[in-house]
Amino acid sequence: MRRVEFYRHSLTEEDIAAVGEVLRGIFLTTGPRTASFERALAEYLGVQHVVGVSSCTSALYLSLKALGVGKGDEVITTPMTFIATSNTILDAGATPVFVDVEPRTGNIDVRLVERAITNRTRAVIPVHLYGLMADMRCLAEVCRRNKLTIIEDAAHALEAVRDGARPGQLGQAACFSFYATKNLTCGEGGAVATNDPEMASALRRLRSHGMSKEAAGRYTERYQHWDMEELGYKANLSDIQAALLLSQLPRIDTQLARREEIARRYEAAFAGLPGVDVPQVPRSATSARHLFTIWVPPQRRDEALSSLQQKGIGVAVNYRAVHLLSYYRRDLGFQPGTFPHAESIGDRTITLPLYPGMSDEDVEAVIGAVSDLAAEWA
Ligand SMILES: Cc1ncc(COP(=O)(O)O)c(C=O)c1O
């Protein structure tokens, strides 16, 4: 039986050597490699500033804090996401207000955002699900009219473009993840992209306890006392992580091309398969193709997961709707039936392997396994 892992990174000997070089030097934490990575990523994204942090979770949290979002504030977001998105709103002391998603993409339905705005709403966090950006031009217009800030959860969407804009270009800030399975990875890591210099400075302070000087400044320049002017956190990116990211960055678009090829092969193979549907990518968008999901009948989903695993295919679920998880139901009072499209996707979704290192044989093995299932259901 051919085993197809859910994910395998594509790190090369050069990437490993780049980390070795940092390890042989003196400076392991946030320093020159981090600064180079931040500049390189800002250039790639076409934004003014990138601030490297320890995860997308901390990127979202620090962004909320930098904007002063807290107790008494509401932040609109989607329930079709990883828990980090809404958990950070709660961690900041604010209230997450969910709105439902578009049934064909799983992205936040921008038309519903306007109806959820109250006089306590401060910000909206759209999630660029699976790599397809939410309708940012439309959302930016709604937020401009209502004086709301957009923080993009771009954990899946580093290479994405929609209607000519990349993450960070229409929102106040875009948050990225370099978690172990992401398109660009250092195991754990994250970044915030922004065009606002004040937001970038606030994030730099907040990622290091609110200190007026980071380690590199403290040790490489003439010693000066540092001060603490505000309460921050410890969420900086290290030079070890940055070296790994910097080394991979030049090839992310080549890797995206392979992801796109695999995704199109899946889409062609699954078109017309009974009981198997796939999310849509609008023509005006380049998806970062982070995750490839199929949507199957809800009563078949869990048996399909175990059956695919038995056939040697790695699978995952991205995601069951956040508001139906125990904490959100029990402690925050959310009920089933509130966000029907998100709930329906959450009950039907299966994520298949999608990464540039997959061989054509791997791709065909996944297609074969899904087609066998569909044949059993017909
Ligand atoms: C949509 C989304 N947001 C946020 C996160 C959190 O990222 P991190 O693990 O880097 O904190 C993830 C992680 O998988 C994610 O998928």
Side-chain angles (χ1 to χ4, degrees):
M1 184 176 69
R2 188 181 193 91
R3 243 191 100 67
V4 185
E5 301 292 349
F6 178 68
Y7 179 77
R8 257 183 202 285
H9 66 67
S10 302
L11 297 176
T12 62
E13 288 305 318
E14 285 75 30
D15 299 331
I16 294 165
V19 175
E21 216 178 295
V22 173
L23 296 180
R24 276 187 288 275
I26 190 170
F27 212 90
L28 304 184
T29 184
T30 311
R33 289 298 195 297
T34 304
S36 302
F37 170 66
E38 290 174 340
R39 275 193 301 274
L41 185 58
E43 190 172 324
Y44 176 80
L45 293 168
V47 297
Q48 295 296 314
H49 308 278
V50 165
V51 179
V53 292
S54 54
S55 66
C56 185
T57 305
S58 49
L60 290 163
Y61 182 69
L62 297 187
S63 297
L64 288 165
K65 285 290 176 183
L67 292 166
V69 174
K71 204 165 181 323
D73 295 330
E74 292 177 356
V75 178
I76 296 174
T77 192
T78 157
M80 182 37 59
T81 184
F82 182 58
I83 45 173
T85 319
S86 46
N87 283 3
T88 50
I89 299 170
L90 290 167
D91 283 336
T95 304
V97 173
F98 293 118
V99 300
D100 207 357
V101 298
E102 301 166 339
R104 296 301 311 146
T105 65
N107 270 335
I108 193 164
D109 188 336
V110 177
R111 289 165 313 159
L112 300 178
V113 168
E114 196 135 31
R115 284 188 231 157
I117 297 171
T118 71
N119 56 12
R120 292 167 52 177
T121 311
R122 288 285 313 279
V124 180
I125 307 186
V127 175
H128 303 323
L129 193 69
Y130 309 147
L132 169 67
M133 286 173 71
D135 187 348
M136 283 297 295
R137 294 224 174 254
C138 206
L139 182 64
E141 179 50 30
V142 169
C143 290
R144 190 193 57 75
R145 256 191 275 126
N146 292 279
K147 298 191 171 44
L148 301 177
T149 304
I150 303 177
I151 300 171
E152 298 168 69
D153 183 335
H156 297 181
L158 188 71
E159 311 92 324
V161 188
R162 184 162 180 180
D163 301 319
R166 286 180 175 275
Q169 293 184 326
L170 298 176
Q172 169 74 10
C175 300
F176 297 95
S177 172
F178 309 126
Y179 174 69
T181 57
K182 293 293 187 275
N183 293 13
L184 180 69
T185 183
C186 60
E188 300 284 355
V192 185
T194 180
N195 279 324
D196 177 352
E198 280 179 23
M199 174 109 186
S201 316
L203 290 164
R204 285 184 202 288
R205 284 193 307 275
L206 289 173
R207 74 177 173 183
S208 284
H209 291 294
M211 289 164 89
S212 54
K213 266 189 181 301
E214 287 193 310
R218 296 201 303 274
Y219 295 110
T220 56
E221 295 163 14
R222 188 177 65 83
Y223 186 85
Q224 284 178 314
H225 292 299
W226 51 266
D227 194 10
M228 180 195 142
E229 284 152 12
E230 63 190 309
L231 185 60
Y233 310 89
K234 183 69 167 85
N236 51 318
L237 188 77
S238 77
D239 265 22
I240 303 171
Q241 294 163 309
L244 200 50
L245 297 168
L246 194 55
S247 173
Q248 293 164 72
L249 197 55
R251 56 176 200 276
I252 55 169
D253 280 337
T254 327
Q255 293 190 338
L256 176 62
R258 176 64 180 151
R259 287 177 175 278
E260 182 66 36
E261 190 177 40
I262 297 167
R264 291 206 177 189
R265 175 73 194 107
Y266 280 156
E267 281 168 356
F270 301 147
L273 264 195
V276 179
D277 202 0
V278 298
Q280 264 175 6
V281 177
R283 276 181 208 283
S284 61
T286 300
S287 168
R289 295 294 196 181
H290 174 52
L291 297 173
F292 192 94
T293 59
I294 53 172
W295 296 338
V296 302
Q299 70 280 14
R300 303 279 194 195
R301 197 268 302 275
D302 289 359
E303 100 197 11
L305 283 169
S306 35
S307 165
L308 287 168
Q309 275 187 319
Q310 274 162 21
K311 291 171 199 265
I313 310 295
V315 287
V317 171
N318 305 90
Y319 300 93
R320 291 188 297 143
V322 168
H323 67 287
L324 296 184
L325 299 175
S326 296
Y327 175 82
Y328 280 82
R329 282 199 212 207
R330 189 191 57 230
D331 289 42
L332 303 177
F334 286 103
Q335 303 274 342
T338 325
F339 308 109
H341 295 313
E343 290 172 28
S344 164
I345 293 171
D347 289 342
R348 290 182 297 139
T349 195
I350 297 177
T351 311
L352 300 176
L354 172 64
Y355 44 96
M358 287 178 81
S359 66
D360 290 344
E361 290 73 25
D362 290 335
V363 176
E364 295 311 316
V366 175
I367 291 170
V370 172
S371 308
D372 288 350
L373 275 183
E376 285 168 29
W377 301 336

